[in-house]
Amino acid sequence: MQNYDVTATSTASPAVVWRLLLDARTWPVWSAVDELVVERSSGLDPNGRDPVGAVRAFRTGKTVTGERLTGLVEEKRMTYEDAFNKAIRDYDATIELTPTADGGTIIRWHGTYGTRWGMGLVMRGVMGRVMQQMVDGLASHAATWSKA
């Protein structure tokens, strides 16, 4: 199994960061994904509060991947697993939000996954880089969004 573990700190509160995480429609704005593919998703909440069990399909380039929400602890933790992805298998991820003393949020995003034979080194580099972009984008956008 491969893994990644990335962090970023935002000046935004955990409540603001949580709202962005929970609403899959915001992900293309702040993350490395290009589009939420609604027709391949299921269980999305029209008010942006996707529940456990929702499958959120995202397109990046020509690739569409799906992630099923498996756990939600309000303003603290989101867990999800792979619903469909050709590049990796047995993917489980956790996003943890920890308040800072000054009202901001430490965002820790970590996960484990398997790869096809011969793809381990390539995917380790790709996942580490992409997931750092994801957490950095979330932290930055949340800070800007909370000031708007």
Side-chain angles (χ1 to χ4, degrees):
M1 292 296 280
Q2 303 286 331
N3 67 73
Y4 64 87
D5 193 339
V6 295
T7 61
T9 301
S10 179
T11 57
S13 70
V16 170
V17 176
W18 183 254
R19 280 193 300 253
L20 292 171
L21 278 174
L22 206 54
D23 186 354
R25 289 168 181 84
T26 71
W27 286 45
V29 175
W30 55 261
S31 77
V33 304
D34 297 326
E35 172 189 17
L36 172 67
V37 184
V38 175
E39 56 275 3
R40 300 248 346 241
S41 299
S42 64
L44 298 179
D45 181 88
N47 298 314
R49 297 196 50 84
D50 297 338
V52 168
V55 174
R56 296 139 45 115
F58 297 107
R59 180 186 59 78
T60 305
K62 294 180 181 181
T63 304
V64 177
T65 59
E67 299 167 349
R68 179 179 301 103
L69 294 178
T70 57
L72 299 170
V73 178
E74 189 78 19
E75 297 182 16
K76 293 181 191 271
R77 184 179 313 105
M78 171 184 284
T79 58
Y80 63 91
E81 66 184 6
D82 174 46
F84 54 88
N85 188 329
K86 293 180 182 178
I88 60 176
R89 59 181 166 69
D90 301 324
Y91 180 40
D92 286 301
T94 301
I95 305 165
E96 297 171 311
L97 307 180
T98 304
T100 63
D102 61 355
T105 307
I106 298 168
I107 307 163
R108 179 179 178 221
W109 200 322
H110 54 102
T112 60
Y113 58 94
T115 63
R116 294 189 316 241
W117 188 85
M119 293 296 294
L121 287 176
V122 171
M123 288 307 295
R124 182 180 303 141
V126 169
M127 288 294 283
R129 184 180 73 253
V130 168
M131 299 316 293
Q132 188 66 57
Q133 289 173 343
M134 297 285 283
V135 75
D136 289 344
L138 175 58
S140 175
H141 186 72
T144 303
W145 194 57
S146 68
K147 294 177 185 173

